[in-house]
Amino acid sequence: MDRVPVLKLGDVLIVSIQVDLQDQGVLALQEDLADAVVATGARGVIIDITAVEIVDSFIGRMLATIASISRMLDAETVVVGMRPAVAITLVELGLSLGGVRTALNLEKGVALLNSSEDTQIAAAAR
Amino acid sequence: MTSSGELAIGGSSDIVLVRQRVRAAALEVGLSLVDQTKIVTAASELARNALVYAGGGRVRIEIVRNGVRMGLRLAFGDDGPGIPDIEQALVDGWTTGTGLGLGLGGSRRLVDEFDLRSAPGEGTLITVTKWTR
């Protein structure tokens, strides 16, 4: 079974899905990420789907679930690099990915996480 | 080279295989990138449905022609328990399983033609077609 490597960069975990994942691989990624968030104390998770050709309801639900699990573990999730055709198809499929933040690319995803962390720090200082 | 043929759906690795074969056929037919993505996504949903609700099934991939338009037709068949209430099964959010209930209704929106035949105890046959524009 293909396993997606989880990379750590500062406070952020980055995964880039490069293969057409089987359903078990999708579920394994969910667990690997939850473990990694706790083990590293990461504040953010970025899932790069630049290379993903389709997102069906199973993968879409996985993305939403990862976002929910991460939030419960005090980390923010951003999905980056969605292809235009994938976005069009997801909307038509009826999957809005509610609760999942998105950014156009990795750079913007990192910027988004940084800005929301600043907000948290500012709020705590008041 | 032709991408037509029949594939068995017996495990989740077959869902990946179905996606790859449908993608190849969609390219051969000349569907646009968005339409390729739509038909492959629909195929992924329907293959998973066959696996989850019927324990497996098969798909026939066929390149069809209607005048000058080319199309890709996929027929998903299974010998599972069948669908007692087809209208209900097509409603978004309705599921007897643990999924989101978007598979059937969502797939129907992603294709140009959608035909569902099923009866309790007689399995299910879902035929979808996507035409070039």
Side-chain angles (χ1 to χ4, degrees):
Chain A
M1 184 182 76
D2 292 312
R3 262 192 132 87
V4 182
V6 179
L7 310 175
K8 182 176 172 294
L9 185 70
D11 275 352
V12 179
L13 297 177
I14 301 174
V15 293
S16 184
I17 302 173
Q18 299 287 336
V19 289
D20 195 347
L21 279 178
Q22 278 189 38
D23 292 0
Q24 289 97 324
V26 171
L27 295 173
L29 175 62
Q30 203 166 290
E31 288 172 22
D32 289 351
L33 265 176
D35 287 343
V37 167
V38 172
T40 62
R43 302 300 307 272
V45 174
I46 293 180
I47 304 172
D48 169 46
I49 58 167
T50 311
V52 174
E53 291 182 334
I54 70 132
V55 173
D56 63 6
S57 64
F58 188 84
I59 300 169
R61 185 166 58 143
M62 179 276 288
L63 295 174
T65 306
I66 286 178
S68 302
I69 294 172
S70 305
R71 198 171 303 125
M72 221 165 277
L73 298 172
D74 198 22
E76 189 84 38
T77 302
V78 185
V79 171
V80 305
M82 186 182 291
R83 298 180 177 199
V86 169
I88 292 168
T89 301
L90 267 180
V91 170
E92 212 147 304
L93 188 63
L95 210 62
S96 57
L97 289 190
V100 181
R101 304 183 76 174
T102 55
L104 282 185
N105 53 45
L106 183 58
E107 201 172 4
K108 290 190 166 149
V110 171
L112 183 65
L113 284 175
N114 278 336
S115 68
S116 67
E117 246 171 273
D118 288 344
T119 316
Q120 281 168 13
I121 291 163
R126 245 187 282 137
Chain B
M1 189 200 92
T2 174
S3 307
S4 304
E6 190 164 305
L7 270 175
I9 303 165
S12 68
S13 59
D14 294 328
I15 300 178
V16 175
L17 206 61
V18 168
R19 289 201 287 253
Q20 288 165 353
R21 288 284 296 274
V22 171
R23 165 81 62 182
L27 263 171
E28 191 181 327
V29 168
L31 290 177
S32 72
L33 181 58
V34 170
D35 285 345
Q36 286 174 37
T37 306
K38 286 181 181 177
I39 188 92
V40 175
T41 305
S44 188
E45 298 291 340
L46 296 173
R48 186 174 294 103
N49 272 2
L51 192 61
V52 171
Y53 295 101
R58 65 218 150 263
V59 57
R60 192 161 45 82
I61 301 171
E62 198 183 356
I63 291 170
V64 289
R65 182 187 282 275
N66 179 4
V68 291
R69 291 172 97 192
M70 299 282 285
L72 180 58
R73 180 165 291 157
L74 310 173
F76 290 84
D78 69 58
D79 306 312
I83 302 172
D85 187 341
I86 293 174
E87 284 299 310
Q88 174 113 74
L90 284 165
V91 173
D92 276 356
W94 194 87
T95 179
T96 58
T98 56
L100 295 170
L102 287 175
L104 280 183
S107 300
R108 180 163 66 168
R109 285 190 294 275
L110 293 175
V111 296
D112 297 322
E113 288 165 27
F114 183 97
D115 180 67
L116 198 170
R117 285 153 207 260
S118 185
E122 287 173 23
T124 300
L125 178 66
I126 301 173
T127 309
V128 297
T129 312
K130 193 87 187 162
W131 296 101
T132 54
R133 283 170 214 291

